[in-house]
Amino acid sequence: MVSFFEVMIERDFSSAHQLRGYKGKCENLHGHNYKVEIYARGEELNNIGLLIDFGDLKKAADEIVRYLDHRNLNELPPFDEELNPSAENIARYFVEYLNSRIGDERVRVYKVRCYETPTSVATFQIE
């Protein structure tokens, strides 16, 4: 049986978007108060008993939040052309960005849950 440690942080931001190619009201510009849950895991703790410093994970996540907050996602790369700004793609963007910022090979961000509303959530997860 494989065992691992896991940590999770939450972040919030507000953004507008419209879904290209969608047939319905979400093709129109509208906004959400997003919440993201960011999960990191690893099998080993560092020399002081931490998987990752919460402050370091929060700092990296806050870089993304500052970029997205109070903006029209359709105007920001990669959502301007490459990716539709769906909750699924936002979750994937967080995972990929955070893993490029964490310089510790013991720990990986493996899952992000992106809430568009309290009852509508998309998850991107890597194994």
Side-chain angles (χ1 to χ4, degrees):
M1 177 184 292
V2 177
S3 59
F4 57 86
F5 298 94
E6 177 182 271
V7 298
M8 187 272 285
I9 63 168
E10 293 181 359
R11 286 292 180 261
D12 299 289
F13 63 97
S14 299
S15 296
H17 74 155
Q18 58 193 100
L19 297 176
R20 295 181 296 273
Y22 186 86
K23 302 300 180 209
K25 64 181 184 176
C26 292
E27 68 185 324
N28 298 316
L29 186 64
H30 63 284
H32 295 286
N33 294 316
Y34 291 95
K35 178 178 94 168
V36 290
E37 294 176 351
I38 299 162
Y39 295 82
R41 72 177 173 193
E43 296 178 22
E44 297 177 34
L45 301 180
N46 67 12
N47 62 335
I48 63 167
L50 302 177
L51 178 64
I52 186 171
D53 185 316
F54 281 115
D56 292 341
L57 187 55
K58 289 174 182 178
K59 181 180 176 182
D62 287 345
E63 292 172 9
I64 305 171
V65 167
R66 277 191 300 276
Y67 179 63
L68 302 176
D69 192 40
H70 284 80
R71 303 286 304 273
N72 178 349
L73 299 181
N74 294 78
E75 296 175 352
L76 301 175
F79 304 110
D80 58 342
E81 294 179 11
E82 181 182 338
L83 295 176
N84 216 2
S86 63
E88 293 88 344
N89 280 329
I90 294 168
R92 179 172 63 177
Y93 178 71
F94 268 83
V95 168
E96 291 172 353
Y97 181 87
L98 291 169
N99 280 324
S100 74
R101 299 288 293 147
I102 295 172
D104 190 331
E105 305 227 352
R106 293 174 310 96
V107 60
R108 299 297 289 166
V109 172
Y110 78 98
K111 178 169 70 172
V112 169
R113 301 182 78 202
C114 179
Y115 291 79
E116 281 193 347
T117 72
T119 60
S120 299
V121 59
T123 301
F124 181 77
Q125 181 171 329
I126 57 176
E127 294 299 323

